[in-house]
Amino acid sequence: VMDLMRLHKISPERPLSTYLYRSLHQNDQSLSFKVFGHGQAKALSDVLPILERMGVKVINAHPYSIKSDAGLDQWIIDFEIEIDAQVNLDGADVKERFQDAFGQIYSGRVDNDRFNSLVLAANLSWQQVILIRAISSYLHQIQVPFSQTYMQSTLLRNASISHTLVRLFEARF
């Protein structure tokens, strides 16, 4: 019933909806993530890299195509994912941030790279990840001797420091 309610809310103007949750039979690191869409569904090979670069491991996926009596094409992809044990999904809107970031990346408004792992690891919004990405790009342009890949992995390994850096930037500016 909840899936049908979500499908009724999507339209050509709002073509994507997501839902991250833990079902009763899943452990602390396992989650379910449903993506609801309007129109032609993307291939799993297009969606999996988004999730993997967001720092989750995809265990399995079940895609469903739905054609209504009115001729509308809709679809659902039901993912089972695993997250890092250090991620706390109970605090500070982490689920909403993850869902929002996925939607922005899926639509192409946000780059799809490893910086997006900071959404879960450092509890950052997609806008804050854009800030980190911009600073990293600036450092690369002024020829700091560290590659983007190195900066991504270092910021991810030090997620609490990354979170603090964003908070410092927001406080100063």
Side-chain angles (χ1 to χ4, degrees):
V1 173
M2 296 302 291
D3 290 350
L4 289 174
M5 290 173 61
R6 289 185 189 281
L7 283 172
H8 283 300
K9 290 181 182 177
I10 61 174
S11 64
E13 297 80 34
R14 188 171 177 250
L16 189 75
S17 177
T18 59
Y19 183 52
L20 179 67
Y21 64 99
R22 180 175 289 119
S23 46
L24 296 174
H25 68 279
Q26 292 175 316
N27 64 27
D28 288 345
Q29 279 71 48
S30 293
L31 296 167
S32 293
F33 182 60
K34 288 187 179 180
V35 181
F36 303 84
H38 177 80
Q40 189 67 23
K42 279 195 176 183
L44 285 177
S45 60
D46 294 333
V47 179
L48 289 176
I50 295 173
L51 290 171
E52 289 173 349
R53 290 181 186 136
M54 290 186 75
V56 302
K57 182 178 182 181
V58 178
I59 305 303
N60 62 43
H62 301 282
Y64 305 97
S65 294
I66 301 158
K67 188 160 188 102
S68 70
D69 292 337
L72 295 174
D73 287 331
Q74 295 178 321
W75 49 270
I76 302 171
I77 304 175
D78 188 4
F79 293 98
E80 183 180 342
I81 60 175
E82 285 186 358
I83 59 169
D84 191 301
Q86 298 171 341
V87 174
N88 179 12
L89 287 176
D90 297 325
D93 304 323
V94 177
K95 291 180 183 181
E96 288 79 13
R97 288 176 190 243
F98 180 85
Q99 294 172 152
D100 195 23
F102 178 86
Q104 296 296 323
I105 298 163
Y106 182 88
S107 67
R109 290 186 210 107
V110 173
D111 290 342
N112 183 18
D113 58 22
R114 293 288 298 164
F115 283 116
N116 296 323
S117 295
L118 293 170
V119 170
L120 284 178
N123 192 19
L124 299 177
S125 68
W126 62 268
Q127 297 97 330
Q128 292 168 324
V129 171
I130 287 176
L131 171 68
I132 294 284
R133 186 180 290 115
I135 292 170
S136 177
S137 294
Y138 171 74
L139 291 172
H140 187 69
Q141 287 177 358
I142 63 170
Q143 300 180 354
V144 170
F146 304 114
S147 69
Q148 292 287 83
T149 304
Y150 178 79
M151 286 189 253
Q152 290 168 355
S153 61
T154 301
L155 289 166
L156 189 56
R157 275 194 316 271
N158 300 288
S160 62
I161 295 172
S162 301
H163 182 85
T164 305
L165 286 171
V166 169
R167 294 288 181 220
L168 176 64
F169 182 88
E170 291 174 341
R172 294 209 29 147
F173 300 105

